[in-house]
Amino acid sequence: MPTTIPSEHPLPRVVLTDVDDTLTWEGRLPSVTLAAMERLAAAGIALVPVTGACAGWCDQIARTWPVTAVIGENGAFTIEREGRHLRYRDWQDEATRMRHQAWLQKAAATLLRQYPGLRLALDNAYRRCDLALDHAQEVPPVRADTVREAVAAAHALGVQATASSIHINLWLGDFSKKAASLAWLRRHHGWTPDQAPGYAAFVGDSLNDAQMFETFRRSVGVANIRPHLAALPVPPAHITQAPGGLGFAQWVNEVLLPC
């Protein structure tokens, strides 16, 4: 399946990307993926992970990876580099976050009773705005249909929910990967929501990337997106042959920046 890149902008100026099972594979960051990230930076193309990962992990990504910014917890905050320092931009104030956490804890307790295969994710201590339930990271993988049922049950409880390849993320509020990405692109590049898809690409792997696949026409799914294609309203424009971070590296090296 060919990648569609507008002729007036042969390379994207920004690459937005999921992290778990998009940059990583089998829980690790492949060396070829890091090398591909470095190639993007050397070419002057900004790399911005857009992930459901916790604030603790996002902080380390922002400090140690060759990225321009990190959007974390599915859009709850953005961490931006200012020289050697980091700046957090939160979607909600502290009082709102604390009030929402109390509600999320109650919703999570209900879901854990209903779906005993789920567990609280180990990284919840490092989260700022959402709460994560583990369905495939440290627990035996929960059936895909059960994960979908749990997400629907969360919605019925009045909370936002989405499933990544490892977690079900729960939150309250109107933030999302899409909203936070478009806000960052406008703040840093002045692109309107109509303009941004012509300049930025997105790479993802799961159902929680559906809005991003719909929004960014230069969308790429790594190979492990295939089991989810039937459930995506708009599939990615291009699918790599290799999975996870190996597929990301393949796309960068063979499509974006051919040798």
Side-chain angles (χ1 to χ4, degrees), residues 62-63 69-70 77-82 85-90 187:
R63 292 182 191 279
V70 182
F77 58 82
T78 303
I79 307 176
E80 301 172 356
R81 275 195 169 277
E82 293 185 353
H85 304 288
L86 301 182
R87 178 180 180 182
Y88 276 77
R89 289 181 176 269
D90 289 302
R187 188 163 62 248

Side-chain angles (χ1 to χ4, degrees), residues 66-100:
V67 301
T68 301
V70 182
I71 295 170
E73 295 182 20
N74 289 305
F77 58 82
T78 303
I79 307 176
E80 301 172 356
R81 275 195 169 277
E82 293 185 353
R84 296 179 58 231
H85 304 288
L86 301 182
R87 178 180 180 182
Y88 276 77
R89 289 181 176 269
D90 289 302
W91 202 268
Q92 299 171 336
D93 60 36
E94 180 67 17
T96 300
R97 293 199 301 270
M98 295 300 292
R99 185 171 66 254
H100 286 179

Side-chain angles (χ1 to χ4, degrees), residues 20-102:
D20 287 308
D21 293 321
T22 299
L23 292 180
T24 65
W25 185 239
E26 296 183 338
R28 303 282 185 171
L29 181 69
S31 60
V32 294
T33 309
L34 181 59
M37 294 161 66
E38 295 282 9
R39 290 195 71 189
L40 288 173
I45 298 173
L47 179 65
V48 180
V50 186
T51 175
C54 67
W57 191 12
C58 291
D59 186 278
Q60 291 304 302
I61 290 173
R63 292 182 191 279
T64 60
W65 292 11
V67 301
T68 301
V70 182
I71 295 170
E73 295 182 20
N74 289 305
F77 58 82
T78 303
I79 307 176
E80 301 172 356
R81 275 195 169 277
E82 293 185 353
R84 296 179 58 231
H85 304 288
L86 301 182
R87 178 180 180 182
Y88 276 77
R89 289 181 176 269
D90 289 302
W91 202 268
Q92 299 171 336
D93 60 36
E94 180 67 17
T96 300
R97 293 199 301 270
M98 295 300 292
R99 185 171 66 254
H100 286 179
Q101 277 296 323

Side-chain angles (χ1 to χ4, degrees), residues 15-24 47-53 65 74 164-165 177 202-206 208-209 212-213 222 224 248:
V15 173
L16 307 162
T17 180
D18 181 54
V19 174
D20 287 308
D21 293 321
T22 299
L23 292 180
T24 65
L47 179 65
V48 180
V50 186
T51 175
W65 292 11
N74 289 305
S164 71
S165 59
K177 285 186 173 185
F202 174 73
V203 189
D205 78 300
S206 191
N208 69 339
D209 296 321
M212 301 294 278
F213 290 137
V222 289
N224 39 302
F248 178 89

